[in-house]
Amino acid sequence: MRRAAFLVMAGLSLGTLPGLAPARAQASAETPVGLWLAYDDSSGHWVRATIRIENRGGVLDGQIIATSNPADAHKLCTACDGARKNQPILGLTIITNMHQDGARWDGGQILDPITGSVYRCIMHVEDGGRRLVVRGFIGLSLFGRSQTWTRVQ
């Protein structure tokens, strides 16, 4: 019995038991890359936008690819600074320069297209890759706000 338990534990740690290797590969593939539904901050219930996060050479960027309100598709980021000033909300890159640090991604920034404010950002996936927790903050992450986005299936 002890030998069987040892073999099972060794197989789990090496990922060599039949049928377990795909689950392990899937767990390592849980990244923020993909399509996400971002929810309204005030209600936390209705979808505000769809964000596409892409990996460009190990660095993640995300842009708004759809909005729930058709009128928002024609709005411009008038409150933004620099190159984003007066750019359409639809297609706007709001997440930039995110680098992987273990199970989380950080070092980048996130833009609030409503206020034009840019925040430092950290994020990580949860619930088997179905949820993305995105935290924007100034200075220390303690002084910030988190949103939970859901992956588009």
Side-chain angles (χ1 to χ4, degrees):
M1 181 70 167
R2 285 186 191 178
R3 182 182 165 132
F6 172 77
L7 290 174
V8 168
M9 294 306 287
L12 286 172
S13 67
L14 297 174
T16 57
L17 288 179
L20 293 180
R24 184 175 173 162
Q26 182 181 13
S28 66
E30 291 177 4
T31 72
V33 173
L35 297 177
W36 298 94
L37 300 176
Y39 296 89
D40 179 61
D41 273 340
S42 59
S43 71
H45 296 290
W46 60 275
V47 175
R48 179 117 185 149
T50 303
I51 313 297
R52 178 177 47 228
I53 298 179
E54 297 178 309
N55 186 334
R56 296 189 172 109
V59 178
L60 300 186
D61 292 323
Q63 68 181 159
I64 299 172
I65 63 163
T67 60
S68 59
N69 183 351
D72 288 345
H74 302 292
K75 287 186 179 177
L76 303 178
C77 192
T78 56
C80 292
D81 290 330
R84 296 183 205 161
K85 179 102 176 134
N86 294 322
Q87 293 299 310
I89 297 288
L90 193 59
L92 188 65
T93 298
I94 62 166
I95 297 173
T96 57
N97 206 33
M98 300 296 292
H99 297 270
Q100 189 169 12
D101 181 13
R104 72 179 196 172
W105 294 77
D106 67 10
Q109 298 179 327
I110 187 165
L111 165 74
D112 179 343
I114 304 301
T115 65
S117 298
V118 177
Y119 303 96
R120 291 177 59 195
C121 183
I122 57 175
M123 58 186 168
H124 68 274
V125 293
E126 292 182 344
D127 195 21
R130 291 185 287 270
R131 297 184 328 157
L132 179 66
V133 178
V134 180
R135 184 162 185 81
F137 59 95
I138 297 173
L140 301 172
S141 67
L142 178 66
F143 304 109
R145 183 177 74 216
S146 293
Q147 287 186 338
T148 301
W149 299 352
T150 56
R151 189 180 295 274
V152 175
Q153 298 300 322

